Amino acid sequence: MSKKAPRSVSDPNCIMSGTVLQRYIGDDADVVLPEGITELADNIFSGRSELRSIVIPEGVTVIEGAAFQNCTALKTVKIPGSVKTVERGLFSNCTALEEVVLAEGVTTLESFSFRGCSSLRVVHLPSSVSILEENPFEKCESLDAVYLDGNVAKWQALTRTYHEKNPGFTVYCKNGMIHSDGSVTLYE
C-alpha cells in the first residue's frame, strides 16, 4: 500500500519546514490551522495575548513543549486524537482558558500540562487516556469538573501514584463520580 504524501500548506501566516509549523506570523485572535500540518514547534504561540481560539486539525501528531504557554486570552481548546501526548506545560498560565476537550486517541497528559490555568472549569478526557502524570491541573483553582469517558476504577488507576484522597474537583465517570472531597458515588 502506498503512503500518501502530505498536502502542502499554503497559508501565508504559516512558516513551514516540511509539515512542521515553525512559526505563525499572523495576529488573528481566532486561528484555524490548515490541514497538512503534522507538528507545531515549541513556543509557536507562546505569549500571544491576542489568541482567543485555535482549531488544530486532525493529522497533527505533535504539539511541542510550551506551544501555548501564557496565551492569556485563549478560552477553549480541542486537541485532536492524532495528538497522543499533551506535553508538560503546553497550556501553562493560559489564565482565560475555561474548557479543554481531548479527543479519543489522546493517551497521555504530562505533568503540569495546564498549570496555572486559573479559569479552567471543565476538562473532557477520552477513554484512550492511559497516563496521567503528576499534577496536570496544578493551580487550576476554578476547575469544577473532569468528565472521563471511563469508569471510577480507571480514574483511580490513572491517579494512583500521586493522587490524594481529595481531588479538589468532581470527576464524572460512566459508572459514578468522585466528589471534590474524595468520596465516591457509584451509579446503579
Side-chain angles (χ1 to χ4, degrees):
M1 182 160 105
S2 66
K3 190 174 180 180
K4 281 187 177 180
R7 200 178 106 201
S8 65
V9 177
S10 60
D11 186 319
N13 291 319
C14 296
I15 308 297
M16 303 293 296
S17 174
T19 58
V20 178
L21 179 58
Q22 294 290 333
R23 277 188 54 209
Y24 183 83
I25 58 174
D27 60 1
D28 303 311
D30 302 300
V31 174
V32 177
L33 294 176
E35 291 192 25
I37 294 172
T38 60
E39 291 184 37
L40 304 183
D42 193 24
N43 293 309
I44 189 84
F45 292 97
S46 184
R48 290 190 175 235
S49 58
E50 76 280 358
L51 184 64
R52 187 176 47 223
S53 69
I54 186 150
V55 176
I56 302 167
E58 188 69 38
V60 170
T61 57
V62 175
I63 304 174
E64 291 186 13
F68 297 99
Q69 182 176 340
N70 297 316
C71 290
T72 56
L74 187 62
K75 290 267 199 199
T76 63
V77 68
K78 180 178 180 184
I79 304 293
S82 54
V83 174
K84 300 305 174 206
T85 300
V86 177
E87 292 193 11
R88 180 184 182 98
L90 187 61
F91 293 97
S92 64
N93 299 315
C94 292
T95 55
L97 188 61
E98 295 176 353
E99 183 173 17
V100 172
V101 177
L102 304 180
E104 188 63 36
V106 175
T107 61
T108 304
L109 264 76
E110 289 187 352
S111 297
F112 314 115
S113 304
F114 299 96
R115 183 177 198 259
C117 295
S118 54
S119 298
L120 185 60
R121 294 180 301 105
V122 178
V123 175
H124 301 268
L125 299 177
S127 63
S128 56
V129 168
S130 58
I131 300 170
L132 197 63
E133 290 185 1
E134 187 172 357
N135 297 323
F137 308 115
E138 182 180 77
K139 296 186 179 181
C140 294
E141 297 91 7
S142 299
L143 186 57
D144 289 327
V146 171
Y147 293 91
L148 175 65
D149 187 14
N151 59 34
V152 168
K154 177 164 182 143
W155 177 262
Q156 291 167 332
L158 285 171
T159 59
R160 75 179 175 276
T161 59
Y162 75 89
H163 200 281
E164 297 176 16
K165 292 250 182 232
N166 179 356
F169 48 84
T170 302
V171 180
Y172 296 91
C173 303
K174 287 182 173 182
N175 70 331
M177 58 197 278
I178 302 164
H179 303 273
S180 60
D181 65 1
S183 61
V184 175
T185 301
L186 295 175
Y187 307 140
E188 291 188 25

